[in-house]
Amino acid sequence: MVITIANQKGGVGKTTSSVNLAAAFSFLGYKTLLVDMDPQANSTVSFIDPQGIRFSIFDFLEGSDVSFEEVLQKTDINNLSILPASISLAKLESKLISEIDGHFRLKDKIDSVKYKYDFIIIDTPPTLGMITINSLVAASHLLIPIQASYFALEGTDDLLETFEKVRARSNPDLTILGVVITLYDKRTVIAKDSESHIQKLFGDKVFKTYISRNVRLEESPAYKESIFTFAPNSKGASEYRQLAEEIVKHA
Ligand code: ADP
Ligand code: MG
């Protein structure tokens, strides 16, 4: 299963979900690859020291002969490896636009290593440009994190339109895995309101598991840990574990 986590709104929990779902699958015993497609490299630095990175995913995708193995980094978690990003990835947007196979670059690369993993998770930047399109073309499934807030659904039209375009042209099998409600605070009226809007729009595509606002989730990246070792008894840990189990059931 290749899961792209996308929403062109920033700060909705794409990276937090990528990092902790990847860790959750690994701890459940699945061989997992986390692919960081965001030039901001937040997923990467959540696990590894960027100083130690010689090649990043940009080198792997831009067409030079840097191999998968040369880019691949192990993490402290058994079963979990990462294709790290760096700021150089920002150059990929303009590079791919002018190339005939521009939409397929990541897919071509991922397809040849897919057999090694049970789950591949792709984290994306807060845009709907070539990098996100590449991530959608390479995926079997799209997971959309939506923050339970007043402007929750702002921009989802554009995301769904991009999803449909990718399905129509480049990746007809792409499926919406689900929508996960993030940064949820059940004590607030706004959370309840936006929850019902999200439910109305996405119906049974909304995961039963919600991710609550939990400060532990915010803290763990600074220690290069996922929530499961940083705060194993936190709400964040139990909710991301539960979300991973929901996805496994689906898979
Ligand atoms: P995105 O990748 O969509 O931009 P992030 O995952 O980086 O979003 O989250 C944005 C900010 O909110 C980060 O500082 C992150 O630590 C924090 N955050 C994300 N999810 C939660 C949560 N459930 N509870 C508390 N803080 C969170
Ligand atoms: Mg992010």
Side-chain angles (χ1 to χ4, degrees), residues 137-187:
V137 172
S140 60
H141 292 84
L142 166 63
L143 188 154
I144 309 171
I146 298 186
Q147 178 182 356
S149 70
Y150 189 60
F151 296 110
L153 292 172
E154 197 184 59
T156 39
D157 285 0
D158 295 333
L159 176 62
L160 294 176
E161 196 185 313
T162 304
F163 165 77
E164 286 303 343
K165 276 187 187 154
V166 167
R167 266 174 59 84
R169 299 275 173 91
S170 318
N171 186 6
D173 295 332
L174 182 64
T175 313
I176 295 182
L177 180 62
V179 167
V180 57
I181 296 178
T182 59
L183 288 141
Y184 188 67
D185 183 347
K186 64 170 189 281
R187 295 166 304 183

Side-chain angles (χ1 to χ4, degrees), residues 89-105:
L89 185 58
K91 291 184 284 183
L92 195 71
E93 284 284 340
S94 57
K95 209 173 150 36
L96 290 186
I97 269 177
S98 59
E99 292 184 24
I100 217 158
D101 66 339
H103 286 202
F104 294 90
R105 187 60 60 83

Side-chain angles (χ1 to χ4, degrees), residues 7 9-17 38 42 123-124 126 182-184 211-215 217-219 221 240:
N7 182 337
K9 264 180 92 127
V12 299
K14 288 183 290 298
T15 297
T16 305
S17 299
D38 185 353
N42 292 343
D123 187 18
T124 61
T182 59
L183 288 141
Y184 188 67
I211 306 298
S212 306
R213 198 176 271 282
N214 177 232
V215 70
L217 287 167
E218 218 174 334
E219 293 166 345
Y240 271 112

